Amino acid sequence: MNKMTTPADISAGETLSTDVIIIGAGPVGLFAVFELGLLDLKAHLVDILDKPGGQCAELYPEKPIYDIPAYPVISGQELTDRLMEQIKPFEPTLHLNEMVVELQRTEDDTKWRVVTDAGTTMEAPAIFIAAGGGSFMPKRPPLQGLEEYEGKSVFYAVRQMEQFRGRNLLIAGGGDSALDWTINLQPLAEKITLVHHRDGFRGHPDSVNKVKALAEAGKID
């Protein structure tokens, strides 16, 4: 039976050996397992999150994604689930909730040695770094007492769109994430106000055009 190997299957203090160590279990890291598997190479993945999928699974599991080949639209969580299904036959080992704290060559200079903050030690001839944006830390506004409202009325990610139905929302930002959530939450929210520090936006032109059209139609501020 094909299965994912987890650290629970590994003896304490054991130095693990594999063909490739992948740092980052987002979509790129997961797909690398598939490509390596076709070459009959085994992989261990390390990710600081408690689940695979990276930004797609952590920050916008329900957000529609439109730029994945062969999928006109797919959510972040669905993309992650399909990638996990795709790599299952190659039995990768997942080290979740772990951060790489040491990377160096072995004494004989034939492999790389990786050590995580959980004490896991791995060695492999090759390292594949798919860290993306790295570990996710919210960019908190410098407002006193903000912590009291976090998770109640102040949010740094949208994990369940339904929780914003019928609410009065203010979205701060001018990049793709802010524009996409303005577009996707508009049908659910009672009112949406988009705030950005300048006139121009950093998002895709198509998203910018859609947001401007919503504003001109009086559907957002």
Side-chain angles (χ1 to χ4, degrees), residues 57-168:
E58 175 69 7
L59 298 185
Y60 47 83
E62 293 187 351
K63 176 184 172 184
I65 303 173
Y66 299 99
D67 56 359
I68 303 300
Y71 290 100
V73 60
I74 190 171
S75 70
Q77 188 58 56
E78 185 182 4
L79 175 62
T80 301
D81 293 341
R82 289 182 178 272
L83 284 166
M84 292 298 291
E85 182 181 358
Q86 186 179 35
I87 68 174
K88 187 176 181 180
F90 301 111
E91 301 183 6
T93 301
L94 302 176
H95 302 271
L96 303 176
N97 274 326
E98 297 190 40
M99 180 176 66
V100 172
V101 295
E102 185 177 327
L103 172 62
Q104 61 183 16
R105 298 291 286 178
T106 57
E107 290 76 8
D108 59 6
D109 201 35
T110 61
K111 295 182 179 180
W112 291 96
R113 179 179 295 125
V114 166
V115 180
T116 76
D117 59 351
T120 304
T121 301
M122 294 168 274
E123 294 181 357
I127 300 288
F128 184 75
I129 300 177
S135 57
F136 301 109
M137 298 296 292
K139 296 180 180 179
R140 292 182 168 88
L143 301 175
Q144 187 174 0
L146 185 66
E147 294 82 2
E148 180 182 350
Y149 301 95
E150 292 177 341
K152 302 174 183 176
S153 58
V154 175
F155 302 89
Y156 302 106
V158 178
R159 295 182 176 87
Q160 291 184 321
M161 293 175 59
E162 192 62 31
Q163 75 179 117
F164 298 104
R165 181 178 294 277
R167 302 184 70 171
N168 186 349

Side-chain angles (χ1 to χ4, degrees), residues 42-63:
K42 295 294 185 181
H44 282 230
L45 296 95
V46 183
D47 200 289
I48 194 171
L49 296 178
D50 60 356
K51 55 184 174 295
Q55 181 172 317
C56 285
E58 175 69 7
L59 298 185
Y60 47 83
E62 293 187 351
K63 176 184 172 184

